[in-house]
Amino acid sequence: MKIKSLLTTTAHRSASYLESLPARCISPSSTREQLLDSLGGPLPEQATDAGVVIDDLCQKVTPGLLHTSSPRFFGWVIGGTLPAAIAADALTTTWDQNAGAHDCSPSAAVIEEICGQWLKELFGLPKNASFALVSGCQMAHVTGLAAARFRLYQRIGWDIGKKGLASAPQIRVLSSENHHETFSRALRLLGLGTDCIQIVASDDAGKMAPDALRACFEGPPVPTIVCLQAGDLNTGTFDPFEEACAIAHEHDAWVHVDGAFGLWAQVSPKHAHLSAGIHLADSWATDGHKWLNVPYGSGYVFVADREAHRASMTMAASYVAQSGEENQVRNQFDWGPEWSRRARGFPTYAAIRSLGRSGISEMIARCCEVADALTTAIGSLPHVEIISQPTINQGLVRFLSPQGDHDAFTDKVIEGIVTEGSAWFGGVHWHGKRVMRISVCNWRTTLEDIPPTVAAIAGVLKHAYENH
Ligand SMILES: *Cc1c(COP(=O)(O)O)cnc(C)c1O
């Protein structure tokens, strides 16, 4: 098949898929075994025409897709993809630029510079902060914490890049209990280990208590990283940035913010007060692929201490021009953990331009509005208890069993909703209870998605209640 007809057909396929989403059953229809059967087989010895390969791929893969871009997908914290971002991402693949260094693709490098500046402005972060576009919030944590690790060790005369960690003094990490697992993994990857985490008490919603944080600094000084949350995964709660940053900085601690989705609240004037003082931190990690609705593989990190950031990541390559203030060239490898890498700035750039600040702000506010209204509507059904009304875009409910076994019943209802297919939610353990999480982060989701969602839940719930 000729490339032009292959790509034209592919473009049509993509558009039809996106158009089909609102009416699709969201859950996959095939099991792992069925997918292995239809897709697997012996390693192909002979060539197959690309058109046939792609036809086959579409046909056989589709039944195993979880249609997370559906406007009624409310599971985990997963966004969709904006049209401009899809198109830019397709071109990114076509252009196949290595966005490791400026010389490899001046456009990819410059686009990232622009994205970094725009994102800092959107989030109200310090103008002079450094940044990197990484694969997701997980690697944003690794990058931000590597800068923290560099600086804390440098202050006590330990060159971490040269000497490594084997006999280094211990760093301590203070965090509330609800930190994300990717934060712990970042500590493991960086060799700091999870034993270095000391839990700071928080209130019922998960907000760190400033007095408890202050108490951690009594006694002899220890190099410390404080991790704060912008948007708890379950309740959307924000830590008290202003107070916590002041306490941490009094004691020379580094403050890292997990703002995977919550940092985006900064963009909505109605919600920005929740993260007041967030600009006072030292590093910030967030995602593009969640609330900005760009394709997967997109996270952002910002670091106030540019030198620490650069020193922890930089590498020398004799075959490309080195970055430097003198020639204005920005090599991405000086700021992120990868070398050869995808030009992930293009879809971010397209997403920001296509919506503008006002459009992003509306999208964030709309998701919050839908989350709140959807939680209220589900909560008004019989046998439903609202566990957490959204602060931003995350709500929690549970389903009450006639027998009192609410955990098992909640799981049964969630399974029923997922099987019914017109909406999708996931379950989570929260404060000793099994609950259903409601997460809204898709640009396509509107208040109109609420009635069909609630009708589906009502039907499943009634049936489950009567048959329990
Ligand atoms: C999703 C998420 C992460 C991890 O982000 P990835 O993009 O999956 O690496 C970290 N923290 C929070 C609060 C999250 O919601």
Side-chain angles (χ1 to χ4, degrees):
M1 200 180 207
K2 290 273 189 321
I3 187 126
K4 190 156 187 178
S5 76
L6 177 65
L7 294 186
T8 311
T9 314
T10 303
H12 282 288
R13 273 207 173 101
S14 299
S16 306
Y17 174 74
L18 293 169
E19 282 168 2
S20 77
L21 281 171
R24 255 180 204 275
C25 171
I26 295 172
S27 303
S29 55
S30 289
T31 61
R32 173 177 184 274
E33 287 67 32
Q34 289 167 328
L35 291 168
L36 275 172
D37 261 3
S38 80
L39 289 158
L43 169 71
E45 283 300 335
Q46 308 299 334
T48 304
D49 174 72
V52 174
V53 172
I54 298 304
D55 272 349
D56 216 41
L57 184 72
C58 277
Q59 203 192 336
K60 294 177 172 173
V61 156
T62 308
L65 298 180
L66 174 62
H67 303 292
T68 50
S69 284
S70 161
R72 289 188 306 280
F73 183 86
F74 303 110
W76 302 300
V77 186
I78 284 190
T81 313
L82 290 160
I86 293 179
D89 203 56
L91 289 168
T92 303
T93 300
T94 305
W95 294 330
D96 193 27
Q97 299 290 280
N98 181 349
H102 179 277
D103 280 1
C104 297
S105 176
S107 285
V110 166
I111 281 271
E112 288 193 30
E113 263 185 80
I114 296 167
C115 287
Q117 298 302 337
W118 283 354
L119 289 163
K120 280 189 282 178
E121 198 175 333
L122 276 171
F123 296 137
L125 299 182
K127 276 202 173 67
N128 202 38
S130 53
F131 58 87
L133 276 65
V134 291
S135 57
C137 194
Q138 159 83 79
M139 289 314 290
H141 287 329
V142 170
T143 309
L145 293 171
R149 189 182 67 166
F150 173 88
R151 181 58 79 211
L152 293 179
Y153 277 123
Q154 185 263 343
R155 279 193 201 135
I156 55 172
W158 188 270
D159 183 341
I160 189 67
K162 282 210 178 102
K163 292 176 148 179
L165 275 164
S167 51
Q170 187 70 50
I171 280 184
R172 166 179 78 155
V173 174
L174 301 175
S175 155
S176 66
E177 201 168 359
N178 297 322
H179 56 259
H180 198 266
E181 275 309 306
T182 54
F183 179 75
S184 313
R185 184 159 66 174
L187 295 175
R188 285 195 276 136
L189 292 175
L190 288 167
L192 296 172
T194 51
D195 273 0
C196 74
I197 303 176
Q198 186 181 327
I199 300 298
V200 184
S202 47
D203 68 14
D204 278 352
K207 185 180 192 137
M208 186 183 278
D211 287 344
L213 178 63
R214 194 173 287 112
C216 294
F217 288 103
E218 285 162 11
V222 188
T224 301
I225 297 168
V226 177
C227 175
L228 300 179
Q229 295 251 119
D232 172 83
L233 196 57
N234 296 310
T235 60
T237 303
F238 290 77
D239 280 326
F241 298 106
E242 206 131 33
E243 274 180 282
C245 290
I247 296 165
H249 289 157
E250 239 171 72
H251 301 278
D252 286 333
W254 179 290
V255 179
H256 176 78
V257 175
D258 181 349
F261 59 96
L263 192 55
W264 293 92
Q266 273 287 311
V267 190
S268 160
K270 211 174 134 188
H271 300 91
H273 69 277
L274 293 165
S275 41
I278 202 166
H279 62 282
L280 300 169
D282 299 285
S283 52
W284 303 262
T286 190
D287 268 320
H289 50 222
K290 288 176 181 169
W291 227 348
L292 184 60
N293 281 257
V294 299
Y296 270 93
S298 185
Y300 316 119
V301 61
F302 308 89
V303 182
D305 181 343
R306 304 174 64 87
E307 283 80 42
H309 182 188
R310 179 152 183 201
S312 60
M313 286 295 146
T314 192
M315 51 184 264
S318 59
Y319 47 91
V320 293
Q322 295 303 296
S323 323
E325 306 301 341
E326 64 290 343
N327 59 7
Q328 303 289 309
V329 164
R330 181 182 189 273
N331 284 320
Q332 297 92 318
F333 62 67
D334 280 328
W335 307 99
E338 300 157 304
W339 174 214
S340 296
R341 59 194 277 282
R342 184 172 179 81
R344 53 176 70 96
F346 295 127
T348 291
Y349 177 89
I352 297 175
R353 272 207 68 193
S354 77
L355 290 182
R357 191 207 295 258
S358 65
I360 298 173
S361 164
E362 273 163 33
M363 175 172 73
I364 301 303
R366 182 171 63 247
C367 288
C368 296
E369 186 190 3
V370 173
D372 188 55
L374 182 56
T375 304
T376 304
I378 297 172
S380 67
L381 294 172
H383 324 301
V384 180
E385 182 188 4
I386 295 178
I387 298 293
S388 174
Q389 192 74 32
T391 313
I392 45 172
N393 64 333
Q394 309 287 115
L396 301 174
V397 296
R398 68 169 177 163
F399 301 102
L400 305 175
S401 149
Q403 261 98 57
D405 54 339
H406 308 314
D407 285 359
F409 187 67
T410 295
D411 275 334
K412 183 175 163 179
V413 176
I414 295 171
E415 198 190 320
I417 298 167
V418 164
T419 308
E420 194 272 345
S422 35
W424 204 102
F425 296 89
V428 64
H429 285 292
W430 197 74
H431 287 204
K433 292 181 178 126
R434 195 71 186 151
V435 300
M436 182 175 92
R437 186 158 64 202
I438 298 162
S439 175
V440 185
C441 11
N442 192 317
W443 70 279
R444 291 176 78 166
T445 307
T446 68
L447 291 170
E448 286 177 24
D449 291 300
I450 295 178
T453 302
V454 175
I457 296 174
V460 168
L461 179 56
K462 184 164 184 286
H463 184 261
Y465 194 84
E466 284 163 5
N467 295 284
H468 191 66

